[in-house]
Amino acid sequence: MQTELSRLLGIRYPIMQGGMAWVAEYHLASAVSEAGGLGIIGAANAPAKWVRDQIRKTKERTNKPFGVNVMLMSPNAEEVAKVIAEEEVPVVTTGAGNPEKYMELWKEKNIRVIPVVASAAMASRMERCGADAVVAEGCESGGHIGESTTMTLVPQVVDSVQIPVIAAGGIADGRGLAAALMLGAKGVQIGTRFVATRECQVHQNYKDCILKAKDIDTRVTGRSTGHPVRAIRNQMTRKYLELEKNGASLEELEYLALGALRKAVIEGNVKEGSVMSGQIAGLIREELTCEQVIQKLITEADALLSGGWMQA
């Protein structure tokens, strides 16, 4: 399956892996790239030295394209941006800010720049500042989210820009991939489905939460702060929502959330940690390899797009 996106990035299939903080490291990124997608290292708040090490370890495992996700609000963003240029990483995705100040640096190295956006207006702005494509991420996603759903956001972003649009949020199988392409996207970005893979290095407790989740098992915290986050409901989300309901201060809420993602991902504390996950978790029932996930996505989507959906 080739699209404008797969040709732009030099990958076999139009499937990108989300740059999830504490989750998306070199084992996962290299496995996704080897399987024909685009693996992504999540830089999050990590120091530049860690990111450089991750990039080099990924290169040792695959000679296929991969990328790094830069959280632009990170205090290390500028140093990480320079490392990406120095290491000539093929693709960079960005979130939590405007990457315009780094565009010239990256473009000089022929790096493809793909910002994650939550609105058509932001997509247009990213196109004007030189983005090669955008990820339109709906609120079904895990982690930090916007307000619009994928179904409504993607076609509006597609209509607002000329560059390729990648759909994200609520996609875990071939039906989601086919639907995204029908909405006008040139590919998809997938996070939660890749967490529940054998190559992903998160604690097994975290994976098990996703594998056992039902369709109604995620909650959104932080709406009162302006920074909503979707995660699987647990002791931590219940306490956070209760504090929000009772008008807790920003300091109280930040204290509760401090280190919560690491607590779940690394330590396996899925009661007090933040088990970030998309709503699609209820569809994920088995831990597969990255190659199995991608092949399943492509096989199912091809069958639907070739007319198989009319048999239903």
Side-chain angles (χ1 to χ4, degrees), residues 23 25 28 194-202 207 287 290:
V23 175
E25 45 75 76
L28 180 59
F194 281 124
V195 177
T197 55
R198 291 174 193 165
E199 295 91 345
C200 185
Q201 301 296 297
V202 303
K207 293 184 184 182
E287 187 177 342
C290 291

Side-chain angles (χ1 to χ4, degrees), residues 27-77:
H27 292 93
L28 180 59
S30 60
V32 171
S33 289
E34 276 294 292
L38 185 80
I40 302 285
I41 297 164
N45 278 318
K49 182 180 179 181
W50 181 88
V51 177
R52 191 187 299 275
D53 183 58
Q54 291 286 307
I55 291 168
R56 292 181 176 179
K57 285 178 177 176
T58 302
K59 288 177 178 178
E60 289 172 3
R61 287 173 168 255
T62 184
N63 61 2
K64 295 181 172 62
F66 67 94
V68 174
N69 175 263
V70 180
M71 187 174 74
L72 296 166
M73 288 179 64
S74 167
N76 301 314

Side-chain angles (χ1 to χ4, degrees), residues 4-269:
E4 185 180 347
L5 177 71
S6 48
R7 289 189 289 272
L8 174 70
L9 303 182
I11 56 180
R12 186 173 182 185
Y13 305 118
I15 297 171
M16 292 170 51
Q17 165 236 315
M20 302 163 283
W22 289 103
V23 175
E25 45 75 76
Y26 74 93
H27 292 93
L28 180 59
S30 60
V32 171
S33 289
E34 276 294 292
L38 185 80
I40 302 285
I41 297 164
N45 278 318
K49 182 180 179 181
W50 181 88
V51 177
R52 191 187 299 275
D53 183 58
Q54 291 286 307
I55 291 168
R56 292 181 176 179
K57 285 178 177 176
T58 302
K59 288 177 178 178
E60 289 172 3
R61 287 173 168 255
T62 184
N63 61 2
K64 295 181 172 62
F66 67 94
V68 174
N69 175 263
V70 180
M71 187 174 74
L72 296 166
M73 288 179 64
S74 167
N76 301 314
E78 188 163 345
E79 288 184 22
V80 169
K82 291 176 182 176
V83 165
I84 289 169
E86 289 165 3
E87 295 292 332
E88 298 186 16
V89 176
V91 182
V92 59
T93 64
T94 66
N98 187 338
E100 187 169 3
K101 65 183 290 188
Y102 305 119
M103 281 292 187
E104 184 178 351
L105 172 69
W106 290 333
K107 291 293 184 177
E108 285 178 354
K109 297 292 185 176
N110 199 32
I111 295 171
R112 303 298 188 186
V113 183
I114 307 178
V116 178
V117 302
S119 70
M122 181 57 75
S124 296
R125 183 177 175 183
M126 294 299 97
E127 181 178 41
R128 288 194 298 273
C129 77
D132 295 282
V134 291
V135 175
E137 186 175 62
C139 62
E140 299 95 326
S141 299
H144 295 274
I145 59 171
E147 287 295 328
S148 299
T149 64
T150 305
M151 179 69 78
T152 59
L153 178 64
V154 171
Q156 292 182 78
V157 172
V158 168
D159 287 351
S160 69
V161 297
Q162 299 300 311
I163 55 178
V165 175
I166 300 111
I171 302 166
D173 63 10
R175 290 173 294 182
L177 172 55
L181 297 177
M182 292 297 286
L183 290 172
K186 301 301 182 183
V188 295
Q189 177 176 281
I190 295 173
T192 305
R193 172 65 271 194
F194 281 124
V195 177
T197 55
R198 291 174 193 165
E199 295 91 345
C200 185
Q201 301 296 297
V202 303
H203 198 286
Q204 190 61 42
N205 291 352
Y206 197 112
K207 293 184 184 182
D208 289 343
C209 280
I210 292 172
L211 296 172
K212 294 174 183 176
K214 298 187 292 294
D215 57 342
I216 58 172
D217 279 351
T218 66
R219 292 290 182 272
V220 178
T221 59
R223 290 195 188 278
S224 64
T225 70
H227 301 287
V229 172
R230 185 179 298 284
I232 292 176
R233 59 179 174 178
N234 61 4
Q235 181 179 314
M236 186 268 186
T237 61
R238 285 192 292 272
K239 186 173 182 181
Y240 196 111
L241 290 168
E242 185 179 340
L243 286 172
E244 281 193 288
K245 183 179 178 181
N246 294 329
S249 67
L250 180 61
E251 289 74 19
E252 288 178 278
L253 296 172
E254 287 182 340
Y255 181 77
L256 178 61
L258 186 66
L261 180 59
R262 184 188 187 282
K263 193 178 292 184
V265 172
I266 305 299
E267 300 172 17
N269 186 343

